[in-house]
């Protein structure tokens, strides 16, 4: 909550005032990695291709796809419920705050959907491949940071989206996928 009162506007204004064309171009590319369709398609393909011969890989794909879908639906529900003004409304008209149950894009800032996707993917990959978890979370953080640098979201939007994405994945993992993903793969492991 402190972000909302003390950090959101100053941080957004700093990024807005210090935008360099090259950096903006780079972060526009990075932010595309937070688009959910890439992960949903990849997860579904892994599930479909490997469901008969490599069930663990199929489950990893299902976790990836379902995590992104669940966090995306949750983010969308929160966005339309809270109706938070995006930074562009503050920059153009000085509007900052909430207008509950607003569906217009300019009022759908909270939480960040790209951040939710990035951290649902990072958490899914960290659960499947824990050895590389620092890399997955660094990638998720970079995507979330891109939303701040491009002044598409406030810090509190990005934090909330990141928590939502990670939490959605953990819920799915513990209630649906844990037994499948960590089941013994051969008789020696029993």
């Amino acid at each position: 909550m402190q972000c909302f009162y003390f950090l959101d506007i100053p941080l957004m204004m700093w990024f807005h005032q210090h935008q360099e064309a090259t950096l903006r171009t780079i972060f526009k590319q990075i932010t595309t990695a937070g688009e959910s369709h890439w992960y949903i398609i990849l997860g579904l393909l892994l599930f479909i291709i490997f469901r008969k011969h490599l069930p663990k890989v199929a489950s990893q794909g299902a976790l990836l796809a379902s995590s992104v879908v669940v966090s995306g639906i949750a983010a969308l529900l929160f966005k339309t419920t809270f109706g938070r003004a995006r930074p562009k409304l503050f920059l153009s008209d000085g509007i900052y705050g909430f207008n509950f149950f607003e569906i217009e894009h300019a009022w759908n800032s909270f939480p960040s959907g790209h951040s939710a996707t990035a951290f649902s993917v990072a958490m899914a990959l960290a659960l499947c491949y824990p050895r590389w978890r620092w890399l997955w979370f660094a990638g998720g953080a970079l995507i979330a940071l891109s939303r701040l640098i491009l002044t598409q979201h406030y810090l509190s939007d990005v934090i909330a989206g990141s928590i939502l994405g990670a939490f959605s994945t953990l819920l799915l993992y513990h209630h649906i996928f844990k037994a499948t993903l960590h089941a013994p793969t051969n008789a020696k492991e029993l």
Side-chain angles (χ1 to χ4, degrees):
M1 197 61 164
Q2 300 296 341
C3 287
F4 181 80
Y5 292 111
F6 301 111
L7 294 175
D8 279 352
I9 291 175
L11 190 59
M12 182 273 301
M13 290 300 293
W14 190 89
F15 281 121
H16 178 69
Q17 292 167 354
H18 294 92
Q19 289 199 5
E20 178 193 322
T22 304
L23 190 63
R24 187 164 175 78
T25 301
I26 291 168
F27 277 96
K28 276 187 176 183
Q29 292 301 313
I30 291 169
T31 209
T32 61
E35 294 173 4
S36 58
H37 60 277
W38 306 112
Y39 306 105
I40 295 169
I41 292 168
L42 176 62
L44 289 174
L45 284 173
L46 288 171
F47 177 75
I48 292 166
I49 293 168
F50 295 109
R51 71 180 186 276
K52 291 184 180 177
H53 302 292
L54 294 171
K56 186 174 181 176
V57 174
S59 289
Q60 291 171 341
L63 174 63
L64 178 65
S66 62
S67 295
V68 172
V69 168
V70 168
S71 68
I73 291 171
L76 187 58
L77 289 172
F78 283 123
K79 283 175 178 283
T80 55
T81 301
F82 288 108
R84 185 176 191 190
R86 285 185 178 265
K88 69 180 180 181
L89 286 177
F90 182 81
L91 293 169
S92 65
D93 301 322
I95 298 172
Y96 179 70
F98 297 89
N99 190 16
F100 296 98
F101 304 106
E102 184 66 61
I103 60 171
E104 187 179 333
H105 181 264
W107 289 92
N108 290 164
S109 191
F110 181 85
S112 165
H114 282 73
S115 298
T117 296
F119 273 84
S120 66
V121 170
M123 183 61 76
L125 291 172
L127 291 167
C128 294
Y129 305 100
R131 178 185 222 189
W132 300 98
R133 67 181 165 267
W134 63 271
L135 180 64
W136 311 134
F137 286 113
L142 187 62
I143 294 166
L145 178 64
S146 76
R147 305 309 287 161
L148 293 172
I149 290 172
L150 297 172
T151 63
Q152 295 298 307
H153 286 283
Y154 295 105
L155 179 61
S156 57
D157 301 337
V158 168
I159 291 171
S162 300
I163 292 168
L164 177 64
F167 184 71
S168 298
T169 302
L170 284 173
L171 277 178
L172 287 168
Y173 172 76
H174 284 292
H175 291 287
I176 299 171
F177 294 98
K178 187 176 184 178
T180 308
L181 290 172
H182 291 100
T185 55
N186 60 44
K188 289 183 180 179
E189 292 183 34
L190 295 173

